[in-house]
């Protein structure tokens, strides 16, 4: 009769062999090094030791990311000279040696394009906002505009990845993953990091939503964002199969957890710990998500405030109200991504639709948070990956096809709540909206400032990978002190 142990050894795979060989003194030594350097992953639901580094002004973030790059010179950055120079060639002294996308090519000789809609000064602060955005215009005294942003990317996916992960190349942890890793979770019933996406109906200029925009990169995968879908169950497999009760489901998960715990003890693989935690979270979400997505407890006045699409899952309006409900329940980072802002030849058509779909819900979210006492410690950020050129893309005599190309050298975002100064305009572009003129703000500066408001020193939240300590801001970034409220 063959020896069962010999038979088992013959069945061991190469992966199993090396997995088990990694245990012992090497694993113990590695664990000691990680603990010494403060690099071991945070415990489930917990925060890293020593965080936050300072008293936070914000507890949570809602990032309203506008994929495709909103046109700053048509929405927020009013330039009278641009109107005067409509149809005239762009002055070469504004261009220098700057590179533009291949769609523009050589920008010399391109014609300047005036704003499509009029601008007006709004609120007590006198901020300039276009008629494209009447609802945003009504809340300018609650907003902090940063009009001196600049970036290094000239194409969409690298530009979005840069804003959300600190690198133009995929593979780094996203901002929400960093915050979840460092600060843990304030809820046991929902993920700490939730993502929702939307796109205006009928648009011809949508962008792809890549999973790495909310990925965990080299951090354990438990820190990646959980994407809520726009139709059906927000998360797949939340509903039990026919014939499976919640009690049966609980028993099955307990048995699976015990098996996974055995493997975790045997291999020490952090992804097994992630699997255990995610199974448990999925079970809890079976009870919490149906309540979360049931808007029947919202007043009609609240629903009306968000606009006519609020009850339609998958729309930006619906996702904005969901965002408020998520942060009320302890979610740390909500990332809304709305595609369709890429107006290469649709400023006079699709830009109107894009603003109609996003303007009212964005303003409503800020107002709703403020009314409920949540805005003070919730940081809301609105913006895209870059701006759009002050000169035209296309034929200036063909108004229905007017467009603008990608523009990384000066653009605008706004923030609200979370300890930033309301009613402020920080920084400025030049008199054509072409280049930053005062108080430049880089992408890494935005990231550093967001982390700062959550009590994190961006230089100290690191994770060692492939021989070096990585951070969200790479080796750059400074907090933009000028946008912060009093301590």
């Amino acid at each position: 009769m063959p020896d069962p142990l010999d038979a088992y050894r013959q069945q061991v795979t190469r992966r199993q062999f090396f997995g088990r060989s990694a245990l012992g003194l090497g694993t113990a030594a590695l664990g000691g090094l990680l603990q010494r350097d403060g690099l071991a992953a945070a415990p489930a639901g917990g925060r890293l030791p020593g965080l936050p580094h300072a008293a936070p002004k914000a507890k949570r973030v809602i990032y309203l990311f506008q994929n495709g790059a909103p046109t700053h010179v048509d929405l927020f950055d009013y330039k009278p000279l641009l109107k005067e120079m409509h149809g005239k060639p762009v002055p070469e002294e504004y261009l220098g040696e700057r590179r533009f996308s291949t769609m523009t090519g050589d920008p010399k000789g391109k014609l300047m394009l005036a704003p499509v809609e009029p601008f007006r000064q709004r609120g007590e602060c006198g901020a300039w906002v276009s008629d494209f955005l009447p609802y945003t215009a009504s809340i300018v005294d609650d907003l902090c505009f940063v009009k001196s942003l600049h970036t290094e990317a000239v194409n969409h996916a690298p530009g979005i990845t840069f804003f959300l992960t600190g690198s133009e190349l995929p593979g780094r942890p996203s901002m929400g993953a960093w915050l979840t890793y460092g600060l843990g979770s304030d809820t046991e019933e929902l993920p700490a990091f939730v993502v929702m996406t939307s796109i205006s109906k009928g648009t011809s200029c949508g962008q792809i939503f890549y999973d790495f925009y909310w990925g965990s990169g080299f951090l354990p995968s438990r820190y990646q964002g959980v994407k809520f879908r726009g139709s059906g169950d927000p998360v797949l497999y939340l509903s039990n199969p026919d014939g499976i009760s919640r009690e049966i489901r609980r028993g099955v998960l307990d048995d699976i957890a015990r098996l996974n715990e055995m493997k975790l003890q045997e291999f020490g693989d952090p992804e097994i710990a992630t699997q255990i935690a995610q199974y448990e979270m999925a079970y809890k979400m079976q009870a919490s998500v149906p309540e979360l997505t049931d808007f029947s407890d919202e007043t009609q006045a609240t629903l009306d405030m968000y606009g006519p699409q609020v009850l339609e899952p998958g729309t930006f309006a619906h996702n904005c109200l969901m965002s408020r409900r998520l942060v009320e329940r302890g979610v740390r980072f909500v990332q809304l991504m709305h595609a369709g802002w890429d107006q290469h030849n649709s400023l006079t058509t699709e830009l109107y639709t894009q603003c109609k779909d996003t303007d009212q819900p964005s303003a409503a979210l800020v107002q709703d948070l403020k009314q409920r006492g949540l805005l003070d410690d919730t940081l809301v950020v609105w913006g895209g990956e870059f701006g759009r050129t002050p000169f035209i893309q296309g034929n200036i005599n063909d108004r229905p096809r007017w467009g603008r190309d990608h523009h990384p050298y000066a653009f605008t975002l706004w923030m609200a709540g979370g300890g930033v100064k309301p009613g402020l305009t920080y920084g400025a572009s030049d008199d054509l909206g072409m280049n930053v003129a005062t108080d430049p703000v880089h992408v890494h500066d935005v990231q550093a400032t967001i982390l700062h408001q959550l009590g994190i020193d961006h230089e100290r939240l690191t994770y060692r990978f492939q021989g070096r300590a990585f951070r969200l801001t790479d080796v750059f970034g400074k907090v933009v002190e000028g946008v912060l409220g009093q301590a």
Side-chain angles (χ1 to χ4, degrees), residues 14 28 63 75 104 126 160 184 199 227 233 243 259 273 277 285 292 302 305 359 407 410 428 454:
R14 181 175 181 272
Y63 202 144
L75 301 179
T104 287
I160 297 169
I199 184 169
K227 184 183 177 184
D233 286 341
L259 292 172
M285 287 171 65
L292 169 72
T302 297
M305 184 166 60
D359 177 34
H407 191 74
L454 284 115

Side-chain angles (χ1 to χ4, degrees), residues 241-262:
D242 291 341
I244 301 297
S245 67
R246 189 158 174 79
E247 291 73 21
I248 293 175
R249 178 83 160 200
R250 178 72 270 172
V252 170
L253 290 178
D254 288 343
D255 291 341
I256 293 174
R258 281 191 285 269
L259 292 172
N260 281 329
E261 287 284 358
M262 292 167 60

Side-chain angles (χ1 to χ4, degrees), residues 304-439:
D304 291 343
M305 184 166 60
Y306 281 89
Q309 295 181 324
V310 69
L311 296 179
E312 185 178 344
T315 63
F316 186 76
H318 186 274
N319 291 348
C320 279
L321 180 51
M322 279 282 288
S323 296
R324 191 221 78 209
R325 293 173 68 88
L326 284 164
V327 298
E328 277 183 317
R329 290 157 175 79
V331 173
R332 170 102 41 214
F333 195 92
V334 181
Q335 183 171 310
L336 263 59
M337 305 190 76
H338 186 80
W341 291 96
D342 197 19
Q343 277 92 33
H344 288 281
N345 55 16
S346 56
L347 284 173
T348 58
T349 54
E350 292 182 350
L351 181 56
Y352 286 91
T353 302
Q354 201 72 10
C355 291
K356 182 180 178 181
D357 287 351
T358 59
D359 177 34
Q360 184 174 356
S362 299
L365 176 61
V366 173
Q367 292 173 301
D368 201 4
L369 291 168
K370 185 177 181 180
Q371 291 171 2
R372 294 167 188 270
L374 291 168
L375 187 59
D376 287 346
D377 55 9
T378 302
L379 180 61
V380 182
V381 183
W382 190 104
E385 62 269 35
F386 34 69
R388 307 206 74 89
T389 55
F391 52 79
I392 193 171
Q393 180 180 1
N395 183 353
I396 202 163
N397 295 316
D398 185 8
R399 191 178 191 280
R401 300 282 292 172
W402 280 0
R404 300 186 190 273
D405 200 4
H406 309 165
H407 191 74
Y409 304 113
F411 58 108
T412 300
L413 66 69
W414 60 253
M415 299 182 285
V420 300
K421 290 180 181 177
L424 175 72
T425 293
Y426 181 87
S429 63
D430 59 31
D431 51 7
L432 288 177
M434 186 76 70
N435 302 298
V436 172
T438 61
D439 298 320

Side-chain angles (χ1 to χ4, degrees), residues 105-275:
D106 186 354
K108 294 178 182 178
K110 297 289 184 181
L111 303 182
M112 305 305 292
L113 180 63
V116 175
E117 288 289 336
F119 277 77
R120 307 178 200 280
Q121 284 187 287
R122 320 285 184 154
E124 294 183 6
C125 66
W128 289 93
V129 179
S130 166
D131 285 354
F132 268 117
L133 301 170
Y135 291 93
T136 301
S138 71
I139 62 162
V140 292
D141 290 330
D142 292 316
L143 305 183
C144 175
F145 291 97
V146 179
K147 295 189 175 180
S148 52
L149 279 171
H150 62 102
T151 184
E152 298 162 26
V154 295
N155 288 310
H156 297 293
I160 297 169
T161 308
F162 195 31
F163 253 102
L164 296 176
T165 74
S167 170
E168 291 186 51
L169 298 177
R172 300 279 186 90
S174 59
M175 190 184 305
W178 276 113
L179 289 175
T180 306
Y181 166 67
L183 296 178
S185 177
D186 284 341
T187 174
E188 296 182 353
E189 310 302 324
L190 290 166
F193 176 17
V194 172
V195 180
M196 291 175 284
T197 63
S198 57
I199 184 169
S200 294
K201 293 179 180 178
T203 184
S204 65
C205 50
Q207 301 299 318
I208 296 172
F209 297 113
Y210 294 107
D211 288 350
F212 52 77
Y213 291 160
W214 52 86
S216 57
F218 44 70
L219 293 176
S221 60
R222 68 188 311 156
Y223 301 113
Q224 70 185 7
V226 174
K227 184 183 177 184
F228 280 19
R229 303 189 309 155
S231 61
D233 286 341
V235 181
L236 289 173
Y237 311 119
L238 279 185
S239 303
N240 286 326
D242 291 341
I244 301 297
S245 67
R246 189 158 174 79
E247 291 73 21
I248 293 175
R249 178 83 160 200
R250 178 72 270 172
V252 170
L253 290 178
D254 288 343
D255 291 341
I256 293 174
R258 281 191 285 269
L259 292 172
N260 281 329
E261 287 284 358
M262 292 167 60
K263 286 295 182 183
L264 181 60
Q265 292 298 321
E266 188 175 0
F267 285 94
D269 184 350
E271 290 306 303
I272 298 176
T274 293
Q275 191 173 51

